[in-house]
Amino acid sequence: EPHIFGMFCPFCRDSLAQGLLGRFDYSEGVTLTQSCIQYRQTFCSWRLHVPTVKWDYYVPMPNEVQSQHSRKAHYDEVQSFRVFLQTLTGKEITDAMLSDALAVCDENRRLLRELYDYRKEADPNATGVEALYASLTAQFIDKREHNEMLKKTLAALPTRKVERKTGARFMTIGSENDDIAFMGMVESVGATIVIDDQCSGSRYFWNASKPEGDVIKAIAERYCDRPACPTKDYPAHTRFDHVPGSSKD
C-alpha cells in the first residue's frame, strides 16, 4: 500500500507485488504500453521500488485510435521502441527478424481463435476456465512453444469427451479479468463460459496483422485495429457491434 493506491484493481496490485516480492528478480527491465492510469502507476512503482530494474521504457499508445492521426503516431512510437532496444542490446533488429516474429504471433492468434471456436458447440469441448488458461499462458510462454502445445490440444479436442453438462451459457465482458477461481466457481454451479470480451481473453488475440510491406506498420496498425478496450473506444462505440458479433464469427 505505500506504493500503490488500495482502491486499484487486484491485477495492478498483484503485478506490483510480484516485483516487490522478488519473483521477477531475473528481469532487468520493465516496459509498458499505455492502457489505464492504474496500471501506469504499477509501472512507475516497479521503476522506483523493484531493485533489479536497470532500465525502463514507456510506449505511448493512442487513446483515440479512431483519430486520423493515431496510426502515424503509433507507428512512430513502435519505431522509437525498436531503436531503443537496438541501442540497449547493441544488436540490430532487422525487418526480417520482426517479420518472422510477427508470423509466429499471428499463428498464435489464429490457433487461439480455433480453440475459442470449440466453445460455440452445443456441448463445448473446452470450458471457459481452460480457454482462459490458454489465453493467459500465451502472454508469458515462448510463442513457438505455445503454438506447438495449442496444435496438440486442437488435434485432441474433436474426440474429447467432456463429462459435464453445459448448463447456462455465459459471456464474460470486462478488462483484465484473470480470476481463474471466479471462472471456476461459475462453471462449477451449472454453467459454461462460452465466449468473452476481455483484455486477458479474446481482445488479446482476436485480430491478426494485415499483409504489409512495412513490418513496423503491420505491427502498429494491428494494435489500432484490435477490438477496442473501453478506454479507447470513442467517439464511435465500436464494441456495441463487436461484442454480439464475436459470439457468432
Side-chain angles (χ1 to χ4, degrees):
E1 297 245 335
H3 307 308
I4 194 170
F5 285 116
M7 52 78 65
F8 283 2
C9 76
F11 184 83
C12 294
R13 292 163 57 80
D14 183 64
S15 295
L16 176 58
Q18 298 299 315
L20 296 175
L21 291 170
R23 294 176 179 168
F24 286 92
D25 59 0
Y26 54 85
S27 176
E28 296 182 351
V30 58
T31 67
L32 179 72
T33 297
Q34 167 63 26
S35 55
C36 64
I37 59 173
Q38 290 85 359
Y39 212 64
R40 176 71 180 269
Q41 185 176 349
T42 299
F43 169 73
C44 292
S45 292
W46 254 83
R47 293 191 301 180
L48 292 171
H49 303 298
V50 178
T52 54
V53 172
K54 299 177 182 178
W55 58 265
D56 60 83
Y57 194 92
Y58 179 74
V59 184
M61 169 74 189
N63 274 332
E64 190 180 348
V65 293
Q66 297 174 23
S67 165
Q68 61 178 326
H69 306 294
S70 65
R71 294 168 186 271
K72 176 61 168 62
H74 198 45
Y75 177 95
D76 291 344
E77 294 297 347
V78 174
Q79 180 63 21
S80 295
F81 187 37
R82 176 192 195 176
V83 172
F84 168 79
L85 290 174
Q86 290 181 140
T87 303
L88 177 71
T89 62
K91 298 178 181 179
E92 182 183 8
I93 301 175
T94 66
D95 284 357
M97 294 165 64
L98 289 174
S99 295
D100 179 61
L102 182 57
V104 173
C105 289
D106 279 339
E107 181 182 24
N108 189 254
R109 293 162 185 147
R110 177 182 60 79
L111 293 170
L112 284 168
R113 283 288 298 265
E114 287 186 27
L115 175 62
Y116 266 52
D117 283 344
Y118 276 99
R119 304 168 70 187
K120 301 175 184 177
E121 304 292 335
D123 295 308
N125 283 7
T127 67
V129 168
E130 291 169 335
L132 182 59
Y133 269 123
S135 177
L136 290 174
T137 53
Q139 299 178 36
F140 58 83
I141 290 177
D142 179 272
K143 281 288 192 292
R144 288 182 172 84
E145 295 179 13
H146 199 264
N147 287 347
E148 292 306 310
M149 293 302 297
L150 279 173
K151 290 174 184 177
K152 293 178 181 178
T153 300
L154 289 167
L157 278 179
T159 57
R160 184 190 191 198
K161 302 297 182 183
V162 180
E163 301 298 330
R164 66 186 301 276
K165 293 183 178 180
T166 303
R169 300 169 67 89
F170 277 91
M171 178 180 195
T172 56
I173 301 175
S175 52
E176 68 296 333
N177 185 1
D178 62 344
D179 194 334
I180 296 288
F182 173 77
M183 301 294 190
M185 180 187 69
V186 170
E187 294 195 320
S188 72
V189 293
T192 303
I193 300 169
V194 296
I195 188 63
D196 70 66
D197 180 54
Q198 299 176 165
C199 295
S200 51
S202 66
R203 284 205 299 270
Y204 171 67
F205 61 80
W206 200 253
N207 66 315
S209 65
K210 296 176 181 176
E212 177 62 57
D214 185 336
V215 65
I216 293 294
K217 183 178 181 182
I219 292 171
E221 293 197 352
R222 194 206 78 87
Y223 284 102
C224 292
D225 291 337
R226 70 190 289 258
C229 169
T231 63
K232 297 176 173 61
D233 195 29
Y234 64 90
H237 297 305
T238 62
R239 294 177 70 247
F240 291 140
D241 291 328
H242 169 71
V243 167
S246 65
S247 62
K248 300 175 184 178
D249 291 344

